[in-house]
mmCIF file of all heavy atoms in Angstrom:
data_model
loop_
_atom_site.group_PDB
_atom_site.id
_atom_site.type_symbol
_atom_site.label_atom_id
_atom_site.label_comp_id
_atom_site.label_asym_id
_atom_site.label_seq_id
_atom_site.Cartn_x
_atom_site.Cartn_y
_atom_site.Cartn_z
ATOM 1 N N VAL J 1 74.772 65.839 -53.845
ATOM 2 C CA VAL J 1 73.577 65.223 -54.436
ATOM 3 C C VAL J 1 72.291 65.551 -53.682
ATOM 4 O O VAL J 1 71.206 65.151 -54.111
ATOM 5 C CB VAL J 1 73.730 63.684 -54.529
ATOM 6 C CG1 VAL J 1 75.010 63.319 -55.265
ATOM 7 C CG2 VAL J 1 73.690 63.026 -53.159
ATOM 8 N N LYS J 2 72.408 66.268 -52.572
ATOM 9 C CA LYS J 2 71.202 66.639 -51.811
ATOM 10 C C LYS J 2 70.225 67.395 -52.699
ATOM 11 O O LYS J 2 70.631 68.193 -53.540
ATOM 12 C CB LYS J 2 71.593 67.514 -50.619
ATOM 13 C CG LYS J 2 72.054 66.738 -49.404
ATOM 14 C CD LYS J 2 72.398 67.688 -48.273
ATOM 15 C CE LYS J 2 72.901 66.925 -47.066
ATOM 16 N NZ LYS J 2 73.320 67.828 -45.973
ATOM 17 N N GLU J 3 68.960 67.164 -52.496
ATOM 18 C CA GLU J 3 67.868 67.803 -53.242
ATOM 19 C C GLU J 3 67.738 67.258 -54.664
ATOM 20 O O GLU J 3 66.766 67.580 -55.356
ATOM 21 C CB GLU J 3 68.040 69.332 -53.309
ATOM 22 C CG GLU J 3 68.287 69.999 -51.978
ATOM 23 C CD GLU J 3 67.170 69.760 -50.977
ATOM 24 O OE1 GLU J 3 66.008 69.578 -51.401
ATOM 25 O OE2 GLU J 3 67.454 69.750 -49.765
ATOM 26 N N ARG J 4 68.684 66.424 -55.114
ATOM 27 C CA ARG J 4 68.587 65.852 -56.464
ATOM 28 C C ARG J 4 68.406 64.335 -56.422
ATOM 29 O O ARG J 4 67.698 63.769 -57.264
ATOM 30 C CB ARG J 4 69.845 66.177 -57.276
ATOM 31 C CG ARG J 4 70.085 67.649 -57.490
ATOM 32 C CD ARG J 4 71.230 67.877 -58.481
ATOM 33 N NE ARG J 4 72.501 67.328 -58.036
ATOM 34 C CZ ARG J 4 73.221 66.454 -58.731
ATOM 35 N NH1 ARG J 4 72.808 66.032 -59.910
ATOM 36 N NH2 ARG J 4 74.382 66.006 -58.255
ATOM 37 N N PHE J 5 69.040 63.666 -55.469
ATOM 38 C CA PHE J 5 68.982 62.210 -55.366
ATOM 39 C C PHE J 5 68.135 61.820 -54.150
ATOM 40 O O PHE J 5 68.134 62.519 -53.130
ATOM 41 C CB PHE J 5 70.375 61.612 -55.182
ATOM 42 C CG PHE J 5 71.285 61.722 -56.385
ATOM 43 C CD1 PHE J 5 70.949 62.476 -57.494
ATOM 44 C CD2 PHE J 5 72.495 61.051 -56.398
ATOM 45 C CE1 PHE J 5 71.785 62.561 -58.587
ATOM 46 C CE2 PHE J 5 73.359 61.128 -57.468
ATOM 47 C CZ PHE J 5 72.998 61.897 -58.574
ATOM 48 N N THR J 6 67.446 60.685 -54.262
ATOM 49 C CA THR J 6 66.665 60.165 -53.156
ATOM 50 C C THR J 6 66.940 58.677 -53.002
ATOM 51 O O THR J 6 66.789 57.908 -53.965
ATOM 52 C CB THR J 6 65.163 60.363 -53.392
ATOM 53 O OG1 THR J 6 64.888 61.763 -53.569
ATOM 54 C CG2 THR J 6 64.360 59.854 -52.196
ATOM 55 N N ILE J 7 67.354 58.281 -51.803
ATOM 56 C CA ILE J 7 67.584 56.875 -51.503
ATOM 57 C C ILE J 7 66.342 56.320 -50.818
ATOM 58 O O ILE J 7 65.700 57.008 -50.021
ATOM 59 C CB ILE J 7 68.842 56.700 -50.623
ATOM 60 C CG1 ILE J 7 69.226 55.228 -50.497
ATOM 61 C CG2 ILE J 7 68.648 57.330 -49.248
ATOM 62 C CD1 ILE J 7 70.586 55.011 -49.817
ATOM 63 N N SER J 8 65.987 55.078 -51.160
ATOM 64 C CA SER J 8 64.815 54.455 -50.555
ATOM 65 C C SER J 8 65.018 52.944 -50.541
ATOM 66 O O SER J 8 66.011 52.432 -51.079
ATOM 67 C CB SER J 8 63.542 54.820 -51.322
ATOM 68 O OG SER J 8 63.611 54.331 -52.653
ATOM 69 N N ARG J 9 64.056 52.232 -49.940
ATOM 70 C CA ARG J 9 64.198 50.782 -49.854
ATOM 71 C C ARG J 9 62.831 50.134 -49.917
ATOM 72 O O ARG J 9 61.812 50.758 -49.596
ATOM 73 C CB ARG J 9 64.892 50.389 -48.562
ATOM 74 C CG ARG J 9 64.094 50.768 -47.322
ATOM 75 C CD ARG J 9 64.783 50.304 -46.058
ATOM 76 N NE ARG J 9 63.903 50.456 -44.905
ATOM 77 C CZ ARG J 9 64.146 49.933 -43.726
ATOM 78 N NH1 ARG J 9 65.237 49.218 -43.534
ATOM 79 N NH2 ARG J 9 63.314 50.110 -42.728
ATOM 80 N N ASP J 10 62.824 48.872 -50.290
ATOM 81 C CA ASP J 10 61.631 48.036 -50.270
ATOM 82 C C ASP J 10 61.996 46.822 -49.435
ATOM 83 O O ASP J 10 62.739 45.952 -49.891
ATOM 84 C CB ASP J 10 61.244 47.649 -51.697
ATOM 85 C CG ASP J 10 59.953 46.848 -51.747
ATOM 86 O OD1 ASP J 10 59.692 46.046 -50.810
ATOM 87 O OD2 ASP J 10 59.207 46.998 -52.728
ATOM 88 N N ASN J 11 61.476 46.775 -48.205
ATOM 89 C CA ASN J 11 61.831 45.678 -47.296
ATOM 90 C C ASN J 11 61.417 44.325 -47.843
ATOM 91 O O ASN J 11 62.140 43.343 -47.711
ATOM 92 C CB ASN J 11 61.186 45.900 -45.936
ATOM 93 C CG ASN J 11 61.860 46.993 -45.150
ATOM 94 O OD1 ASN J 11 62.947 47.439 -45.503
ATOM 95 N ND2 ASN J 11 61.215 47.452 -44.096
ATOM 96 N N ALA J 12 60.241 44.269 -48.446
ATOM 97 C CA ALA J 12 59.724 42.987 -48.939
ATOM 98 C C ALA J 12 60.617 42.428 -50.049
ATOM 99 O O ALA J 12 60.837 41.216 -50.137
ATOM 100 C CB ALA J 12 58.301 43.153 -49.436
ATOM 101 N N LYS J 13 61.136 43.315 -50.882
ATOM 102 C CA LYS J 13 61.990 42.872 -51.990
ATOM 103 C C LYS J 13 63.466 42.874 -51.603
ATOM 104 O O LYS J 13 64.306 42.460 -52.412
ATOM 105 C CB LYS J 13 61.777 43.774 -53.204
ATOM 106 C CG LYS J 13 60.374 43.707 -53.795
ATOM 107 C CD LYS J 13 60.256 44.616 -55.012
ATOM 108 C CE LYS J 13 58.864 44.515 -55.616
ATOM 109 N NZ LYS J 13 58.714 45.412 -56.786
ATOM 110 N N ILE J 14 63.786 43.362 -50.429
ATOM 111 C CA ILE J 14 65.168 43.503 -49.957
ATOM 112 C C ILE J 14 65.991 44.223 -51.034
ATOM 113 O O ILE J 14 67.048 43.745 -51.495
ATOM 114 C CB ILE J 14 65.814 42.156 -49.590
ATOM 115 C CG1 ILE J 14 64.837 41.239 -48.858
ATOM 116 C CG2 ILE J 14 67.004 42.408 -48.640
ATOM 117 C CD1 ILE J 14 65.384 39.893 -48.495
ATOM 118 N N THR J 15 65.462 45.341 -51.439
ATOM 119 C CA THR J 15 66.059 46.114 -52.521
ATOM 120 C C THR J 15 66.181 47.580 -52.114
ATOM 121 O O THR J 15 65.267 48.128 -51.490
ATOM 122 C CB THR J 15 65.217 45.992 -53.802
ATOM 123 O OG1 THR J 15 65.175 44.614 -54.198
ATOM 124 C CG2 THR J 15 65.799 46.820 -54.934
ATOM 125 N N MET J 16 67.291 48.165 -52.475
ATOM 126 C CA MET J 16 67.529 49.589 -52.239
ATOM 127 C C MET J 16 67.520 50.313 -53.578
ATOM 128 O O MET J 16 67.926 49.730 -54.594
ATOM 129 C CB MET J 16 68.901 49.767 -51.556
ATOM 130 C CG MET J 16 69.326 51.196 -51.331
ATOM 131 S SD MET J 16 70.916 51.324 -50.472
ATOM 132 C CE MET J 16 72.039 50.625 -51.687
ATOM 133 N N TYR J 17 67.056 51.549 -53.568
ATOM 134 C CA TYR J 17 66.958 52.322 -54.793
ATOM 135 C C TYR J 17 67.682 53.661 -54.640
ATOM 136 O O TYR J 17 67.847 54.175 -53.534
ATOM 137 C CB TYR J 17 65.488 52.601 -55.143
ATOM 138 C CG TYR J 17 64.660 51.369 -55.287
ATOM 139 C CD1 TYR J 17 63.880 50.899 -54.229
ATOM 140 C CD2 TYR J 17 64.647 50.640 -56.476
ATOM 141 C CE1 TYR J 17 63.113 49.744 -54.353
ATOM 142 C CE2 TYR J 17 63.884 49.497 -56.604
ATOM 143 C CZ TYR J 17 63.117 49.056 -55.546
ATOM 144 O OH TYR J 17 62.370 47.921 -55.676
ATOM 145 N N LEU J 18 68.083 54.219 -55.771
ATOM 146 C CA LEU J 18 68.613 55.582 -55.804
ATOM 147 C C LEU J 18 67.960 56.288 -56.989
ATOM 148 O O LEU J 18 68.278 55.987 -58.143
ATOM 149 C CB LEU J 18 70.136 55.590 -55.942
ATOM 150 C CG LEU J 18 70.777 56.978 -55.843
ATOM 151 C CD1 LEU J 18 70.630 57.530 -54.417
ATOM 152 C CD2 LEU J 18 72.260 56.923 -56.232
ATOM 153 N N GLN J 19 67.027 57.166 -56.678
ATOM 154 C CA GLN J 19 66.402 57.976 -57.707
ATOM 155 C C GLN J 19 67.273 59.206 -57.930
ATOM 156 O O GLN J 19 67.505 59.977 -56.988
ATOM 157 C CB GLN J 19 64.992 58.392 -57.284
ATOM 158 C CG GLN J 19 64.290 59.303 -58.272
ATOM 159 C CD GLN J 19 63.992 58.617 -59.591
ATOM 160 O OE1 GLN J 19 63.556 57.471 -59.622
ATOM 161 N NE2 GLN J 19 64.228 59.322 -60.693
ATOM 162 N N MET J 20 67.736 59.371 -59.158
ATOM 163 C CA MET J 20 68.646 60.465 -59.476
ATOM 164 C C MET J 20 67.972 61.400 -60.465
ATOM 165 O O MET J 20 67.665 61.001 -61.592
ATOM 166 C CB MET J 20 69.943 59.906 -60.066
ATOM 167 C CG MET J 20 70.636 58.894 -59.176
ATOM 168 S SD MET J 20 72.237 58.359 -59.804
ATOM 169 C CE MET J 20 71.745 57.491 -61.288
ATOM 170 N N ASN J 21 67.716 62.624 -60.028
ATOM 171 C CA ASN J 21 67.099 63.646 -60.867
ATOM 172 C C ASN J 21 68.084 64.781 -61.127
ATOM 173 O O ASN J 21 69.087 64.911 -60.428
ATOM 174 C CB ASN J 21 65.842 64.194 -60.188
ATOM 175 C CG ASN J 21 64.782 63.138 -59.972
ATOM 176 O OD1 ASN J 21 64.652 62.184 -60.748
ATOM 177 N ND2 ASN J 21 64.010 63.287 -58.905
ATOM 178 N N SER J 22 67.777 65.592 -62.114
ATOM 179 C CA SER J 22 68.619 66.747 -62.453
ATOM 180 C C SER J 22 70.085 66.340 -62.577
ATOM 181 O O SER J 22 70.978 67.002 -62.030
ATOM 182 C CB SER J 22 68.458 67.841 -61.390
ATOM 183 O OG SER J 22 67.103 68.241 -61.276
ATOM 184 N N LEU J 23 70.320 65.269 -63.284
ATOM 185 C CA LEU J 23 71.678 64.749 -63.410
ATOM 186 C C LEU J 23 72.579 65.723 -64.153
ATOM 187 O O LEU J 23 72.130 66.445 -65.065
ATOM 188 C CB LEU J 23 71.662 63.404 -64.124
ATOM 189 C CG LEU J 23 71.240 62.223 -63.234
ATOM 190 C CD1 LEU J 23 70.806 61.038 -64.070
ATOM 191 C CD2 LEU J 23 72.369 61.838 -62.297
ATOM 192 N N LYS J 24 73.848 65.734 -63.739
ATOM 193 C CA LYS J 24 74.844 66.618 -64.324
ATOM 194 C C LYS J 24 75.997 65.775 -64.881
ATOM 195 O O LYS J 24 76.210 64.650 -64.414
ATOM 196 C CB LYS J 24 75.394 67.557 -63.243
ATOM 197 C CG LYS J 24 74.351 68.340 -62.493
ATOM 198 C CD LYS J 24 74.984 69.129 -61.350
ATOM 199 C CE LYS J 24 73.961 69.908 -60.551
ATOM 200 N NZ LYS J 24 74.588 70.650 -59.431
ATOM 201 N N PRO J 25 76.763 66.312 -65.810
ATOM 202 C CA PRO J 25 77.910 65.560 -66.342
ATOM 203 C C PRO J 25 78.870 65.100 -65.245
ATOM 204 O O PRO J 25 79.455 64.024 -65.350
ATOM 205 C CB PRO J 25 78.572 66.564 -67.283
ATOM 206 C CG PRO J 25 77.434 67.402 -67.773
ATOM 207 C CD PRO J 25 76.528 67.548 -66.585
ATOM 208 N N GLU J 26 79.006 65.894 -64.188
ATOM 209 C CA GLU J 26 79.908 65.512 -63.096
ATOM 210 C C GLU J 26 79.378 64.345 -62.269
ATOM 211 O O GLU J 26 80.086 63.828 -61.396
ATOM 212 C CB GLU J 26 80.212 66.707 -62.180
ATOM 213 C CG GLU J 26 79.003 67.443 -61.683
ATOM 214 C CD GLU J 26 78.696 68.672 -62.521
ATOM 215 O OE1 GLU J 26 78.750 68.585 -63.773
ATOM 216 O OE2 GLU J 26 78.383 69.717 -61.915
ATOM 217 N N ASP J 27 78.158 63.901 -62.504
ATOM 218 C CA ASP J 27 77.625 62.707 -61.844
ATOM 219 C C ASP J 27 78.068 61.430 -62.567
ATOM 220 O O ASP J 27 77.807 60.321 -62.082
ATOM 221 C CB ASP J 27 76.093 62.738 -61.806
ATOM 222 C CG ASP J 27 75.557 63.848 -60.925
ATOM 223 O OD1 ASP J 27 76.106 64.057 -59.829
ATOM 224 O OD2 ASP J 27 74.580 64.503 -61.342
ATOM 225 N N THR J 28 78.718 61.572 -63.700
ATOM 226 C CA THR J 28 79.184 60.416 -64.455
ATOM 227 C C THR J 28 80.193 59.609 -63.647
ATOM 228 O O THR J 28 81.187 60.151 -63.153
ATOM 229 C CB THR J 28 79.830 60.866 -65.781
ATOM 230 O OG1 THR J 28 78.825 61.471 -66.603
ATOM 231 C CG2 THR J 28 80.443 59.689 -66.516
ATOM 232 N N ALA J 29 79.912 58.321 -63.491
ATOM 233 C CA ALA J 29 80.759 57.449 -62.671
ATOM 234 C C ALA J 29 80.193 56.034 -62.710
ATOM 235 O O ALA J 29 79.078 55.821 -63.199
ATOM 236 C CB ALA J 29 80.807 57.934 -61.224
ATOM 237 N N VAL J 30 80.958 55.097 -62.168
ATOM 238 C CA VAL J 30 80.415 53.779 -61.864
ATOM 239 C C VAL J 30 79.820 53.863 -60.467
ATOM 240 O O VAL J 30 80.490 54.315 -59.532
ATOM 241 C CB VAL J 30 81.494 52.689 -61.930
ATOM 242 C CG1 VAL J 30 80.906 51.340 -61.526
ATOM 243 C CG2 VAL J 30 82.092 52.614 -63.329
ATOM 244 N N TYR J 31 78.580 53.446 -60.335
ATOM 245 C CA TYR J 31 77.888 53.505 -59.053
ATOM 246 C C TYR J 31 77.846 52.115 -58.439
ATOM 247 O O TYR J 31 77.481 51.142 -59.116
ATOM 248 C CB TYR J 31 76.465 54.044 -59.246
ATOM 249 C CG TYR J 31 76.444 55.531 -59.435
ATOM 250 C CD1 TYR J 31 76.951 56.117 -60.592
ATOM 251 C CD2 TYR J 31 75.930 56.377 -58.448
ATOM 252 C CE1 TYR J 31 76.955 57.500 -60.768
ATOM 253 C CE2 TYR J 31 75.917 57.755 -58.603
ATOM 254 C CZ TYR J 31 76.435 58.302 -59.762
ATOM 255 O OH TYR J 31 76.434 59.670 -59.925
ATOM 256 N N TYR J 32 78.213 52.052 -57.157
ATOM 257 C CA TYR J 32 78.260 50.793 -56.423
ATOM 258 C C TYR J 32 77.310 50.848 -55.238
ATOM 259 O O TYR J 32 77.220 51.873 -54.556
ATOM 260 C CB TYR J 32 79.659 50.538 -55.879
ATOM 261 C CG TYR J 32 80.745 50.412 -56.921
ATOM 262 C CD1 TYR J 32 81.446 51.514 -57.371
ATOM 263 C CD2 TYR J 32 81.072 49.161 -57.442
ATOM 264 C CE1 TYR J 32 82.448 51.397 -58.324
ATOM 265 C CE2 TYR J 32 82.081 49.027 -58.390
ATOM 266 C CZ TYR J 32 82.751 50.155 -58.824
ATOM 267 O OH TYR J 32 83.743 50.016 -59.776
ATOM 268 N N CYS J 33 76.641 49.744 -54.966
ATOM 269 C CA CYS J 33 75.912 49.650 -53.713
ATOM 270 C C CYS J 33 76.720 48.794 -52.746
ATOM 271 O O CYS J 33 77.548 47.971 -53.160
ATOM 272 C CB CYS J 33 74.511 49.084 -53.906
ATOM 273 S SG CYS J 33 74.407 47.364 -54.370
ATOM 274 N N ALA J 34 76.492 49.025 -51.466
ATOM 275 C CA ALA J 34 77.270 48.362 -50.435
ATOM 276 C C ALA J 34 76.395 48.095 -49.219
ATOM 277 O O ALA J 34 75.421 48.808 -48.980
ATOM 278 C CB ALA J 34 78.458 49.228 -50.041
#
């Protein structure tokens, strides 16, 4: 996922994000945060 996905966070909202670009069929899945 390098160069296609970007992980980031917002400390104030205590929220993590995953921006996913150039998605491919093989990216199909259930995504979990931990």
Side-chain angles (χ1 to χ4, degrees):
V1 306
K2 277 181 182 177
E3 309 301 331
R4 298 189 299 124
F5 291 9
T6 302
I7 190 171
S8 62
R9 63 177 190 168
D10 184 325
N11 286 347
K13 296 181 178 179
I14 319 179
T15 299
M16 176 178 66
Y17 303 97
L18 186 68
Q19 177 66 43
M20 304 185 294
N21 298 329
S22 302
L23 282 161
K24 306 174 181 179
E26 51 263 44
D27 294 318
T28 295
V30 177
Y31 283 69
Y32 299 89
C33 69

